[in-house]
Amino acid sequence: MNTTPLTEVPPSGTAPSPFAGADICGLAGFVLPIGAARSVFEDDVWVFTQVIGIPAYVAKCARRLDFSGTINERWKTVAKEYIAAQMAPGHEAVRTLPYANRTVRVVNSLYGELLELVRWLNWLAAQGVGELSEVTEHHCKSFAQYRATHRPNGKKTHDRPSVRRAVELTITGLASYSELFTTDRYHPGLRPFPGQATSKPNGNANKTPPVADPTFQPLLGAALYLVQTLAPPLLRELDAKRRYVAHRAALPAARMDLDELEAVIRRHVEDQRPFDRNVNWAKARKWISKDDPLGKVNLYALAAEAGRRDISPSTLLLVRDVLEEAVEAVGIEEPFCRGASMVERADGQGEVPWSGPLSERGLRALTGVVKTASHVVIVALSGMRQSELREMNVGCRVPPIEAGPGLKRYKLASRVIKGKPLGGVPDEWVVIWEAYQAAEVAEQLLGPDAEIGDPLLTSPLDSDRFTLFRQWVNGPAGQALGLDPIPEGQLTTRMLRRTLALEIAYRPGGLLAAKVQLKHLSVVTTEGYADPRELHQTGEKPQVASSLGRLHGLRGYYELAA
């Protein structure tokens, strides 16, 4: 390590920070509603929840930058100056720094870096380090190794190169902005992780793998089947449920007509129609024991059939014997999707009911699965990024355009976020009918109260949703419908986007087409998606080499869909 003398650091509090008193949102160029609270540099928590135009994909937790966890007060100021400098690269105190970042960092990426920064500074404090000038290369490497093999709670895990790289970038970042800090800084001779790049490795090649064809085919096949075959009867069931709930809410709370109640019970027996199951005994009937034969009967539903809102304990006592005999005769069943209509199995092997009887929780779960299916179809067939998918709203389906005799062009509207100013810019994606239909189903599943401009997605299409979708497809319900099981393995929206990029780039002139469809700023980026090592020239049009035989089945689908 270089032993050049340390430039004098003013004692804590004697030199004002260049950001002292600064309005953080104003510093970053963020716009807030009139009258909204504004965070200033000295606050320990910077809040961006009301920023106008903040992308929908930014999690709520990432809209708050919390510095309060930093133990050393002087280092807390260092952390604030470091984050503020990356939010305002054009600030007069920042633009002269030779190694400073020249582009504005988005809030969610700063949120992740701040978490690592606080861990790094607190780890140093735990090691007995009192001044940043005492930090050595050994400290840097030790913490990077620790974080790569330990979770934030201290639990040991497998080595994670991505976490190691993130930590290295954070530690190195403090060195790049060292001249800016007013309360403490590294020794000027410290160069953390010498010989390594000070930014993420770039290059043309995209490291995100495409979805393997044995996984992609059943994934997209199941998603299309749910959107095209299951969504219509599910929407009808959801509509029937809404009407039933409204009907129950309008019923009088007057005393039950005993004769009418007994008539309802007799009709259940005559029609051999099971009674509705009580899904939550503790909440619904505190005065009925769990061991009571009627404890599993939904008495609210029974009362609604008799034209009343509820059944009192005294009324139940009068009909108990009759009701117990009826329950013994016809049983109890989940209330939704009874007598489901028949649909063609996905494998063509005859017809089956589209669903078995479901509880209210089961109906919500199935609705979530079909929502996921619609979102998967949109991403897989449009190539949207997660941020662009989250910006889709009700009303995103652009009216079809007549592109020729018997031909229509379908478009979905959203916003491009990556590489654009805060809030992104409006754009449209040309898609095939299946993606357009999936967007319509996604809108309908939001219910009749959804209005134009409401978000189409209420949660990200993340690994948890992919896992739940796979479990449903591979479970009894999906297999009863003849769906092919989806193999285990990682699934992300980035992988679906990469898969589409490869398929488009396979065709003559595909690189340019993929650039337009994926909204890349440069065709160089698209070459990285298509893997330039597998491109060759046919005339002047690059295309993916025929060695990508793995995508043969996928090409067949797209050609058929087109």
Side-chain angles (χ1 to χ4, degrees):
M1 182 179 74
N2 192 327
T3 58
T4 55
L6 175 63
T7 55
E8 185 179 355
V9 179
S12 177
T14 61
S17 170
F19 305 110
D23 170 10
I24 296 301
C25 287
L27 194 69
F30 296 164
V31 179
L32 291 172
I34 297 175
R38 309 179 78 92
S39 299
V40 295
F41 177 79
E42 286 72 19
D43 293 339
D44 283 351
V45 180
W46 297 351
V47 181
F48 305 102
T49 53
Q50 297 189 66
V51 170
I52 297 174
I54 194 166
Y57 77 93
V58 178
K60 290 183 179 179
C61 61
R63 302 182 186 201
R64 294 167 52 90
L65 300 183
D66 190 346
F67 301 88
S68 62
T70 310
I71 297 173
N72 188 309
E73 287 296 324
R74 291 188 298 123
W75 294 352
K76 184 186 295 184
T77 300
V78 169
K80 291 179 180 179
E81 291 173 337
Y82 177 65
I83 298 298
Q86 298 192 72
M87 297 179 70
H91 189 278
E92 58 183 8
V94 180
R95 59 174 177 248
T96 58
L97 300 177
Y99 302 109
N101 185 30
R102 303 305 176 192
T103 57
V104 178
R105 293 277 301 279
V106 293
V107 173
N108 59 315
S109 68
L110 289 176
Y111 171 79
E113 183 162 13
L114 177 59
L115 292 178
E116 293 299 343
L117 178 57
V118 172
R119 294 180 187 125
W120 163 236
L121 296 176
N122 288 347
W123 182 87
L124 289 174
Q127 302 301 308
V129 177
E131 305 280 346
L132 289 181
S133 59
E134 301 172 10
V135 175
T136 66
E137 182 68 22
H138 175 72
H139 288 116
C140 300
K141 290 183 176 179
S142 296
F143 181 70
Q145 173 63 24
Y146 172 80
R147 280 292 293 122
T149 55
H150 291 78
R151 299 191 181 279
N153 60 7
K155 185 177 180 180
K156 191 171 179 59
T157 184
H158 61 87
D159 186 77
R160 299 168 296 170
S162 61
V163 174
R164 184 194 306 275
R165 185 59 184 155
V167 171
E168 290 174 352
L169 291 172
T170 299
I171 295 174
T172 305
L174 287 186
S176 300
Y177 288 83
S178 184
E179 298 175 27
L180 177 72
F181 304 144
T182 57
T183 58
D184 204 356
R185 64 185 73 170
Y186 291 152
H187 190 287
L190 178 64
R191 295 293 180 265
F193 313 105
Q196 297 187 23
T198 58
S199 60
K200 294 182 180 179
N202 200 343
N204 291 349
N206 187 297
K207 293 186 177 181
T208 301
V211 182
D213 203 48
T215 299
F216 186 85
Q217 289 285 9
L219 171 69
L220 186 57
L224 286 169
Y225 181 82
L226 264 65
V227 167
Q228 297 171 353
T229 304
L230 250 64
L234 173 62
L235 289 167
R236 290 193 293 269
E237 187 71 18
L238 292 172
D239 186 56
K241 178 193 172 186
R242 283 189 289 267
R243 293 198 305 270
Y244 171 70
V245 170
H247 167 71
R248 269 185 51 181
L251 290 173
R255 185 178 181 82
M256 177 69 67
D257 185 315
L258 193 60
D259 292 337
E260 179 61 28
L261 180 59
E262 290 179 344
V264 168
I265 296 173
R266 286 195 299 271
R267 283 198 294 271
H268 271 269
V269 177
E270 293 168 359
D271 300 340
Q272 287 296 293
R273 181 163 50 91
F275 293 90
D276 287 0
R277 185 182 301 278
N278 179 16
V279 295
N280 193 333
W281 166 84
K283 180 178 179 181
R285 294 294 173 186
K286 294 182 179 180
W287 44 270
I288 295 182
S289 167
K290 289 183 179 180
D291 301 325
D292 193 306
L294 303 183
K296 295 182 179 180
V297 177
N298 189 334
L299 298 180
Y300 288 120
L302 185 62
E305 290 187 66
R308 294 293 185 271
R309 191 177 300 176
D310 199 359
I311 297 177
S312 66
S314 58
T315 301
L316 180 63
L317 183 62
L318 296 174
V319 298
R320 170 174 285 275
D321 292 341
V322 175
L323 183 55
E324 286 184 3
E325 291 177 4
V327 170
E328 182 69 24
V330 300
I332 304 170
E333 195 173 53
E334 305 295 357
F336 300 104
C337 304
R338 290 183 183 175
S341 58
M342 306 295 284
V343 295
E344 183 75 20
R345 282 172 54 101
D347 56 8
Q349 302 298 312
E351 292 185 339
V352 292
W354 70 270
S355 175
L358 295 176
S359 64
E360 185 172 4
R361 177 180 296 179
L363 185 63
R364 286 198 304 268
L366 179 58
T367 303
V369 169
V370 179
K371 281 184 179 179
T372 298
S374 65
H375 302 157
V376 167
V377 171
I378 293 172
V379 172
L381 301 184
S382 71
M384 284 186 177
R385 300 179 179 93
Q386 177 83 258
S387 58
E388 295 155 358
L389 183 67
R390 293 297 304 277
E391 292 295 326
M392 294 183 70
N393 297 323
V394 175
C396 63
R397 292 177 295 126
V398 179
I401 301 173
E402 295 290 339
L407 298 176
K408 288 185 178 181
R409 176 172 296 169
Y410 300 98
K411 292 183 179 181
L412 297 177
S414 183
R415 304 181 73 86
V416 179
I417 300 299
K418 186 173 182 180
K420 305 298 181 183
L422 183 68
V425 296
D427 211 329
E428 295 177 350
W429 281 254
V430 176
V431 296
I432 58 177
W433 160 247
E434 286 79 359
Y436 195 82
Q437 179 191 35
E440 180 182 14
V441 168
E443 289 182 355
Q444 293 171 336
L445 287 172
L446 293 176
D449 295 332
E451 298 180 350
I452 299 295
D454 287 349
L456 193 66
L457 275 74
T458 55
S459 61
L461 184 56
D462 55 16
S463 59
D464 290 340
R465 290 183 61 191
F466 277 114
T467 297
L468 292 174
F469 183 77
R470 189 200 328 256
Q471 290 174 348
W472 188 90
V473 171
N474 295 355
Q479 295 308 293
L481 293 168
L483 297 172
D484 291 334
I486 302 173
E488 295 296 325
Q490 185 182 23
L491 286 171
T492 66
T493 55
R494 288 185 177 183
M495 294 172 68
L496 291 174
R497 177 176 165 87
R498 179 81 194 282
T499 305
L500 179 63
L502 284 169
E503 167 55 23
I504 296 176
Y506 175 83
R507 304 173 184 275
L511 277 181
L512 183 58
K515 173 188 178 297
V516 173
Q517 182 67 21
L518 301 181
K519 312 299 180 185
H520 286 155
L521 296 177
S522 170
V523 75
V524 174
T525 306
T526 314
E527 287 177 346
Y529 270 64
D531 194 345
R533 293 171 299 179
E534 298 187 10
L535 293 177
H536 66 85
Q537 296 294 115
T538 300
E540 296 181 353
K541 299 179 180 180
Q543 48 180 237
V544 175
S546 59
S547 60
L548 294 177
R550 183 185 61 75
L551 293 174
H552 175 73
L554 175 59
R555 288 197 300 274
Y557 167 76
Y558 277 103
E559 290 165 0
L560 178 63

